[in-house]
Amino acid sequence: NLIPNSLNPDSPFNDIRVRQAISYAIDRDAIMAARGFGVMSPANQLLPEGIMGRLPDSYNCTYDLEKAKQLMAEAGYADGFSTAIYCMPGIVDVDIAVAIQSMLEKINIKVAVETPDQGGYSALRFGEWDGMLFQLLRLFPGVINTMALNFDVQDDLTTNWLKSAYRPLEELYNAYQDAARQEAVSDE
């Protein structure tokens, strides 16, 4: 999954037409034929088939290079822009990122493929990034669980923050110490 910094109002990704253009410019079938090893299938949206909340198949932005170019022009980016894809270490196939890089060049998006170490990637994920994070998000049937594993997520139903399992070491240590103190008090 590519996760753009679309909340940044100064980012090209803030415009839904740019995000749709990127989706149209990626030939998922070709990528899966080359890198899917016969076991992976293309994903046209975050939620997999059979999961509540999945959008109708008619919503999917299947490969259409001319539609991608049209959307880029409508968004004011006919000449494109430069960005980066930050690959999640040890999880994503960097060769797929390179294939996406090549495909996005066809709509004038110049992409630098970055491969930070785990600490660098976590700093991006829990801070701010300029570009797109490339990571695996379809791990669990409950999408909120997958999102909470990778990001801090606000659960609108209970207004609870779900803290990611990937936390800085000192934060985990402090949480462990607090829990141990609370357990010691309850044992008394």
Side-chain angles (χ1 to χ4, degrees), residues 45-78:
Q45 57 180 289
L46 178 61
L47 298 176
E49 293 80 4
I51 298 296
M52 186 173 69
R54 182 178 167 83
L55 297 171
D57 286 341
S58 60
Y59 175 83
N60 291 334
C61 300
T62 56
Y63 181 66
D64 185 337
L65 194 55
E66 293 310 310
K67 179 74 172 175
K69 290 177 182 178
Q70 173 192 338
L71 287 166
M72 289 290 286
E74 288 174 11
Y77 292 101

Side-chain angles (χ1 to χ4, degrees), residues 27 46 114 151 154 156 168-169:
D27 188 346
L46 178 61
E114 302 288 340
F151 301 98
Q154 173 73 44
D156 291 332
L169 184 57

